[in-house]
Amino acid sequence: EMYSPLGNMSAQGIKRLLGTPTIDQLQTVIREAVQNSWDAAAGRKTPLFIVHLRKLSDREMVVMKETVFGDYVVEGGDDCLSDFLEQRNPWVLELSDVGTSGLGGPTDASVITQEDDDSDFVDFVRNIGTPRDTVYGGGTYGYGKSSLYSLSRCGTIVIDSLTQYNKRDERRVIGCRIASSFSLERGRNRGKYTGRHWWGKRDRSGKGLDPVTGRSAASISRKVGALERADGDYGTSIIILDPVMEAGPHDVINAIQRSLLWNFWPKMVKYPRKGPAMKFRVILNEEEQSLPDLTDCPPLDIFADAMLKLKSEGGIPIDCQRPRKSLGSMTIIKAPKGSRLPGFGPADDGMFPESSRHVALMRPAELVVKYLEGNLLPPSAEWGGLFICSDEYEVEHAFAMAEPPAHDDWIPSSLPRGRSKTYVRVALRNIGNEMEQAVSSTQINVEGGNAELAKLSSRMGSLLNGALGDGISEDRAPTRKRKGRNIRKSHKITNLEGFGPAEWNDGEVLAWFTFSVESPDPKDIKISGSSRVYIDGELSDEAPDGSRPKIRVWADKNENFLAEGDTLEVNTKNAELIW
């Protein structure tokens, strides 16, 4: 692309359009690609998104070198694409979707289109910074595609799309590159160049470049190993050449799996009689890599339950009073802390927290924008929730415009003074207030719960500081003399915290209490407990209906079963946070 007399944007400028996202480069690319696929979902069937990290075979590399980029000439001293083409079996990252509209519409960016006409091809391949044309779509700026080029060491991608144009199926393949601007001072190609490149076929004028189409496109796609598509499998594949990989391929695949789960769990929630909104596959060199189910991948099971609850029962309304406007709704669920799956814990990349205390923020497209972090519950519990802003245009538009190009935050200060700024600012403040209020309550929902348990739960905090605290005593060890003084050694129970009650899976109502055991020396001791009923300031052995509470189970800090009944025998050398 040459600079026009009226000016253009340089390749370096395009690469900087996203600014500095709060998430890493790979996660940014995955978020952008899935968001584009969701916005392009045709609505006829559940869209499928596929990530395939693979090495190009010798035959595929020959096609890349001789057919796709056969006329590549090093310009301006930039030879990183040449370096890629000289590799034996380089890595590529292929991002594909099926069940979407593909990149349709005209291939010439100067063609005038009507308001309802498709312009996906020129918006993705030609133009920079096209506003969204999907109602309540995830994208708003059209800048996110620059992240795809940035992930490639040579700034190059190959696009393969099956779409419909003029009511006919059309296969389209084109190569694209964003490198660096340069100048040629002599020769027939003398001039200034922006650093953007395309590979395809000459258009009718002989001055521009169109994608390869039809059988030729299908042949090239097959020969470079792109996703095979049957008739009607509309969608797009983007092959990122020589992706930046800061770890080995298995670690990269694991990072991709974590990114898909952490950012797109709302699309994976299994709704009754409907299933998930979107399906995902992850492949490494032709081998399918399993993606954990949300129910088996804490804390995403909590977030999924919160989404199901919001859809079935409604949530906490988040409103603005001046001007009066419904801004959206949220819900929060608390539960016993779940064990993290290997590869999906806080030590892996910081996405999955050690203890969840987050609310996922999203617009009606139900794509996670960011997570707000709140206060922790006691060590054996965690919580999670979500907020979805209203789909009323004025409200949704305000939140969309508050997002930076990377769509990873809501920044009310970026909006001009007015209603939009007020909506976003008030919503974030009220969400924060609801998070604090929810954590200050002691109710833990396990497989539901009911209103009576909620009432009990609201009183648990005062009990902990009152009757329960009075019931704890120190077991004194024998006194010994040293230098004329009596030295009393003691075993202590401290740091008492409690939460619940909640209804367990079999209908049993449980409350949990955590505490620390401190001992002056390692020895075997017995910890005994008793439970009482506290009614209107009076202690009793049984409830009004004649039922008697009992100690159900003892466990260690890792939730390993230790004993049942009223007494626990433990060696204090290894005991800590018994509950």
Side-chain angles (χ1 to χ4, degrees):
E1 178 186 54
M2 294 187 69
Y3 278 101
S4 74
L6 297 179
N8 296 75
M9 180 176 289
S10 70
Q12 294 95 319
I14 294 172
K15 291 179 180 178
R16 298 190 183 110
L17 286 173
L18 276 182
T20 54
T22 59
I23 54 180
D24 64 38
Q25 193 173 39
L26 180 61
Q27 194 179 167
T28 300
V29 166
I30 296 299
R31 281 171 56 108
E32 170 65 19
V34 177
Q35 177 180 282
N36 286 344
S37 295
W38 178 252
D39 287 348
R44 293 185 295 272
K45 58 182 179 180
T46 302
L48 169 65
F49 185 84
I50 305 170
V51 181
H52 191 178
L53 180 64
R54 60 187 174 94
K55 280 190 171 185
L56 293 177
S57 67
D58 292 340
R59 290 185 178 182
E60 292 165 352
M61 201 59 207
V62 168
V63 176
M64 283 286 189
K65 189 172 183 179
E66 297 182 359
T67 303
V68 180
F69 300 104
D71 60 351
Y72 173 64
V73 178
V74 176
E75 304 284 9
D78 186 350
D79 60 356
C80 59
L81 180 54
S82 296
D83 292 341
F84 168 80
L85 296 173
E86 293 303 318
Q87 294 184 48
R88 177 68 183 275
N89 299 113
W91 288 97
V92 296
L93 181 63
E94 183 177 346
L95 308 174
S96 305
D97 57 47
V98 180
T100 66
S101 59
L103 297 177
T107 60
D108 184 345
S110 65
V111 172
I112 298 175
T113 58
Q114 301 302 314
E115 183 177 354
D116 296 333
D117 288 347
D118 190 354
S119 60
D120 289 342
F121 184 88
V122 295
D123 289 343
F124 189 79
V125 178
R126 309 291 196 194
N127 297 329
I128 299 295
T130 303
R132 66 175 177 175
D133 58 358
T134 302
V135 178
Y136 305 130
T140 53
Y141 297 91
Y143 296 156
K145 56 179 171 279
S146 64
S147 64
L148 302 170
Y149 298 90
S150 297
L151 189 64
S152 168
R153 296 183 192 275
C154 52
T156 308
I157 64 176
V158 176
I159 302 170
D160 169 31
S161 188
L162 177 60
T163 187
Q164 284 190 317
Y165 183 51
N166 291 331
K167 299 182 179 180
R168 299 180 62 181
D169 287 2
E170 183 166 289
R171 193 69 175 263
R172 296 173 170 180
V173 173
I174 190 168
C176 307
R177 186 179 187 215
I178 296 180
S180 300
S181 57
F182 62 93
S183 299
L184 296 177
E185 298 182 358
R186 57 180 62 88
R188 65 187 181 92
N189 294 323
R190 179 177 177 272
K192 292 182 64 177
Y193 292 83
T194 66
R196 298 177 72 197
H197 305 253
W198 294 270
W199 286 263
K201 66 178 183 180
R202 289 290 180 185
D203 62 14
R204 293 179 179 179
S205 70
K207 298 180 181 179
L209 203 69
D210 280 339
V212 177
T213 58
R215 293 182 178 178
S216 297
S219 175
I220 292 173
S221 172
R222 183 176 63 258
K223 290 179 180 179
V224 298
L227 178 72
E228 294 185 10
R229 295 181 185 272
D231 293 343
D233 283 345
Y234 303 112
T236 302
S237 296
I238 300 170
I239 304 175
I240 302 174
L241 306 187
D242 200 9
V244 176
M245 298 200 304
E246 298 179 353
H250 286 91
D251 290 333
V252 172
I253 281 292
N254 184 240
I256 290 170
Q257 291 174 309
R258 291 195 301 271
S259 182
L260 288 173
L261 286 162
W262 187 241
N263 292 293
F264 298 104
W265 61 264
K267 301 304 178 188
M268 304 178 191
V269 175
K270 296 178 180 178
Y271 295 97
R273 298 182 298 278
K274 190 170 67 172
M278 197 170 186
K279 295 181 179 179
F280 298 85
R281 290 176 58 197
V282 180
I283 307 171
L284 175 60
N285 267 339
E286 311 302 331
E287 291 188 10
E288 195 88 18
Q289 309 294 306
S290 61
L291 202 62
D293 190 274
L294 297 183
T295 57
D296 300 324
C297 192
L300 299 183
D301 55 339
I302 301 177
F303 289 103
D305 287 344
M307 177 67 83
L308 290 169
K309 181 179 180 182
L310 183 68
K311 292 298 181 67
S312 62
E313 303 176 16
I316 303 167
I318 301 297
D319 299 327
C320 180
Q321 300 303 321
R322 290 183 294 180
R324 187 175 294 276
K325 182 74 70 171
S326 172
L327 303 179
S329 59
M330 67 179 293
T331 187
I332 290 175
I333 285 183
K334 308 175 199 175
K337 182 178 176 182
S339 299
R340 301 306 190 249
L341 289 178
F344 296 89
D348 298 300
D349 57 11
M351 274 189 286
F352 284 72
E354 183 176 356
S355 289
S356 176
R357 45 171 167 169
H358 300 77
V359 165
L361 305 179
M362 56 191 85
R363 291 187 277 122
E366 295 181 6
L367 302 169
V368 175
V369 174
K370 69 174 294 184
Y371 289 87
L372 286 183
E373 186 175 286
N375 296 323
L376 287 168
L377 285 172
S380 295
E382 58 186 340
W383 62 273
L386 62 112
F387 166 79
I388 303 178
C389 79
S390 168
D391 60 3
E392 184 180 343
Y393 175 79
E394 184 183 18
V395 176
E396 194 275 344
H397 182 74
F399 284 92
M401 292 301 100
E403 294 177 13
H407 305 290
D408 58 355
D409 203 353
W410 283 340
I411 308 174
S413 61
S414 66
L415 298 173
R417 185 176 180 180
R419 288 192 172 190
S420 293
K421 186 172 187 174
T422 298
Y423 293 156
V424 179
R425 179 177 54 81
V426 170
L428 291 174
R429 183 190 66 202
N430 291 351
I431 292 168
N433 292 339
E434 292 294 340
M435 291 167 66
E436 290 185 8
Q437 182 175 344
V439 175
S440 65
S441 168
T442 55
Q443 181 186 10
I444 307 293
N445 291 323
V446 182
E447 296 294 327
N450 56 49
E452 291 303 315
L453 294 182
K455 294 176 183 178
L456 276 173
S457 179
S458 67
R459 300 185 61 184
M460 189 59 71
S462 61
L463 287 173
L464 285 174
N465 294 323
L468 293 177
D470 295 336
I472 296 177
S473 61
E474 297 181 355
D475 178 15
R476 300 294 184 180
T479 303
R480 65 175 183 175
K481 291 186 177 181
R482 189 179 71 187
K483 295 183 179 180
R485 293 183 299 166
N486 289 339
I487 306 297
R488 184 176 294 276
K489 297 170 58 181
S490 63
H491 309 290
K492 295 181 180 180
I493 293 178
T494 59
N495 300 326
L496 175 69
E497 293 185 81
F499 53 94
E503 190 172 347
W504 199 248
N505 297 338
D506 58 1
E508 184 178 25
V509 177
L510 301 180
W512 291 263
F513 302 93
T514 66
F515 54 87
S516 299
V517 177
E518 299 178 4
S519 178
D521 56 13
K523 62 179 295 184
D524 291 332
I525 62 171
K526 288 184 178 181
I527 303 176
S528 297
S530 61
S531 52
R532 307 284 293 277
V533 179
Y534 188 81
I535 305 173
D536 295 330
E538 300 292 335
L539 286 173
S540 172
D541 290 330
E542 62 182 33
D545 63 359
S547 61
R548 292 173 177 266
K550 64 180 180 179
I551 294 180
R552 180 71 173 80
V553 67
W554 304 78
D556 65 16
K557 65 177 181 178
N558 296 317
E559 303 184 8
N560 297 314
F561 173 82
L562 297 177
E564 289 184 314
D566 295 343
T567 303
L568 171 68
E569 294 187 9
V570 65
N571 187 290
T572 55
K573 181 179 181 181
N574 301 315
E576 182 182 4
L577 290 178
I578 302 299
W579 63 285

